[in-house]
Amino acid sequence: MKILVTGAAGFIGFFVSKKLLENGHAVVCLDNINAYYDKNLKYDRLAQLGIAPNEAEEYNKPVQSLSQTNFSFVRLNLEDRQALSELFKREKFDVVCNLAAQAGVRYSLENPEAYVDSNIVGFLNILENCRHHKIKHLVYASSSSVYGLNSKVPFETTDSVDNPISLYAATKKSNELMAHTYSHLYGFATTGLRFFTVYGPWGRPDMAMFLFTDAILKGKPIKVFNHGNLERDFTYVDDITEGVVRIIELPINKRKNPDVLYKIYNIGNNNSVKLMDFIKAIEDTLSIEAKKEMLPMQAGDVTRTWANVDPLIKDYGYQPNTSIKKGVKEFIDWYKSYY
C-alpha cells in the first residue's frame, strides 16, 4: 500500500513510518518540524530514515530518502490547504495515518492558537482531502486526555468524554466528532486511537521519562506533581507501533464489523503504574537516587489513567507486553548513547 504518515518527525510517527517501511509499504511522510521542542531531535529521527537534515528544511519540497527506496518526506503545514491538496493529488494514497498535532496539555494553556490551527484546522484539511481523493481509511491520533476527570477505571471508549479539562483534550474530542461526521456523510472509514502515556527511545523531551532521566543524570531535582499521587498507563513505543500498524494494514473489508466505518479505540498498556514506581524503575536502572521536589497538582492534569484495550485485543490481536523495567532500560540506553 501507499501510506501517508503525518507527524513523521515526531516520536510515534517516526516509529510507525519505520515499521511500515520494514513491512514493505511505500510511505510518504510530512511534518512541519515546529519548535515546540528541539528541532535537532526531529531532524535526527528523519536521518534514521535516510532524510538528510539540510534537505528537509525547505517547505513543500519532496525529498527522497537516501536509504529507503519507498520513502519520501515533505515539510508541510497541515493548515496549508493548497500544498496538502497537491500532495494528495500527486501521490494517490491508499491509507492516511494522521499523527501530526500540536501536543502537550500544559502548553495548550499558554498557546491555544497553535492547537486550533494544527489540531482542528489541520485535521479538517486532512478530512477534506480524504473525502475528495477517495481515501479508503483514515487512522488518526486522539488522546487519553479526552477522558478528563473521569474517575471510573479502567477507561473505556463507552465512557463519557464530555468534560475535557484542557484545550488540547478539547481539540482531540473535536477530531473524533469531525471524523464521525465525515464517515457518516462521505462513507470512508475513520479509526481514532486514544493514546495513553507513550515512552521509549527517541521520546519527546517534554515527557516524564525524558525529564526525569535528564534531571537525575545532571544531579538536578525532579518535579513530582500531586506529591507523587499519580498513576499512568505507561506504554512502550514498540507496543503502540505494533497496534497502529496492524490497524493500518488490515483491509476494511476484512476487519470485524466492516460496515461500521467510524471506530474509536484505546491504545495503551492495559495497566496503571504508580508514578513513584516508575521513578523507582529509573533510579534502579541508573543506580542513582533522584532528588525529588514534591509539588501540588498541575492545572489541566489528571490523577490516574488506565486504558481498557480489550476491544483492540479482540479486533486486531493487539497485545502490549513490554515491562516497565525493560522499557525504561531501553530508553536510558538510547539516552546515554544519543546525548
Side-chain angles (χ1 to χ4, degrees):
M1 291 190 293
K2 178 177 271 193
I3 302 160
L4 171 65
V5 179
T6 72
F11 177 33
I12 299 173
F14 161 64
F15 278 96
V16 168
S17 300
K18 186 170 178 286
K19 184 68 173 177
L20 288 170
L21 287 166
E22 289 171 358
N23 290 1
H25 299 288
V27 181
V28 177
C29 291
L30 69 81
D31 200 293
N32 68 355
I33 315 181
N34 66 24
Y36 172 59
Y37 61 81
D38 184 12
K39 288 184 178 181
N40 290 323
L41 181 59
K42 300 179 182 184
Y43 283 126
D44 287 344
R45 290 183 187 127
L46 290 174
Q48 296 291 308
L49 300 172
I51 302 297
N54 62 311
E55 290 288 316
E57 290 180 352
E58 187 177 337
Y59 280 94
N60 303 335
K61 173 191 170 187
V63 180
Q64 180 61 43
S65 169
L66 299 173
S67 60
Q68 306 277 353
T69 56
N70 283 336
F71 181 70
S72 62
F73 171 81
V74 60
R75 187 176 187 184
L76 191 152
N77 283 307
L78 293 184
E79 305 95 289
D80 189 337
R81 284 193 179 92
Q82 182 176 346
L84 192 62
S85 178
E86 289 171 356
L87 178 69
F88 271 76
K89 184 177 180 180
R90 181 173 70 246
E91 298 291 351
K92 297 178 173 56
F93 303 112
D94 297 304
V95 176
V96 173
C97 179
N98 184 55
L99 302 175
Q102 179 56 61
V105 170
R106 283 167 288 283
Y107 189 68
S108 71
L109 305 179
E110 304 164 15
N111 297 275
E113 295 86 357
Y115 289 77
V116 172
D117 290 344
S118 179
N119 300 6
I120 295 182
V121 175
F123 190 66
L124 173 63
N125 291 341
I126 288 287
L127 288 168
E128 276 288 278
N129 278 286
C130 287
R131 167 195 174 189
H132 290 295
H133 296 278
K134 309 301 179 186
I135 301 301
K136 301 170 187 174
H137 191 190
L138 167 63
V139 180
Y140 64 95
S142 186
S143 168
S144 62
S145 66
V146 300
Y147 290 106
L149 295 176
N150 181 25
S151 59
K152 174 185 149 299
V153 291
F155 296 171
E156 301 183 43
T157 55
T158 52
D159 294 342
S160 171
V161 290
D162 291 337
N163 298 290
I165 58 170
S166 69
L167 182 65
Y168 171 69
T171 64
K172 288 301 184 179
K173 182 184 176 181
S174 298
N175 288 172
E176 294 179 2
L177 294 171
M178 293 161 74
H180 181 275
T181 303
Y182 271 71
S183 283
H184 172 72
L185 289 175
Y186 305 116
F188 65 88
T190 61
T191 302
L193 298 174
R194 291 175 178 169
F195 289 105
F196 282 67
T197 308
V198 187
Y199 73 100
W202 297 98
R204 279 172 30 205
D206 63 322
M207 299 293 283
M209 178 80 252
F210 197 109
L211 292 169
F212 291 161
T213 301
D214 185 69
I216 292 170
L217 285 172
K218 291 176 179 176
K220 298 179 179 179
I222 63 173
K223 294 181 178 181
V224 183
F225 291 99
N226 203 34
H227 305 284
N229 297 313
L230 295 172
E231 294 184 34
R232 291 289 181 269
D233 193 315
F234 290 105
T235 314
Y236 189 63
V237 67
D238 284 358
D239 293 332
I240 288 283
T241 301
E242 180 67 28
V244 175
V245 170
R246 285 187 182 208
I247 292 166
I248 290 171
E249 290 184 330
L250 187 67
I252 298 301
N253 62 356
K254 291 187 178 180
R255 67 181 188 173
K256 294 183 179 180
N257 301 315
D259 294 334
V260 179
L261 295 177
Y262 170 81
K263 294 190 176 185
I264 294 286
Y265 293 97
N266 288 331
I267 184 164
N269 197 42
N270 220 16
N271 190 25
S272 191
V273 176
K274 292 180 180 178
L275 178 63
M276 297 307 292
D277 291 342
F278 188 67
I279 292 170
K280 182 67 164 54
I282 299 171
E283 291 175 322
D284 288 348
T285 304
L286 292 172
S287 298
I288 303 172
E289 184 175 352
K291 301 172 185 176
K292 302 176 184 71
E293 183 182 356
M294 310 305 279
L295 297 168
M297 193 71 151
Q298 292 187 103
D301 211 346
V302 298
T303 304
R304 189 182 193 190
T305 67
W306 179 0
N308 179 338
V309 298
D310 289 347
L312 202 56
I313 292 170
K314 179 182 176 182
D315 290 356
Y316 289 94
Y318 173 69
Q319 195 61 58
N321 55 20
T322 305
S323 68
I324 289 295
K325 182 178 179 180
K326 181 179 186 297
V328 166
K329 183 180 184 304
E330 292 290 333
F331 172 83
I332 289 173
D333 287 348
W334 167 80
Y335 180 94
K336 288 181 174 179
S337 172
Y338 184 78
Y339 287 99

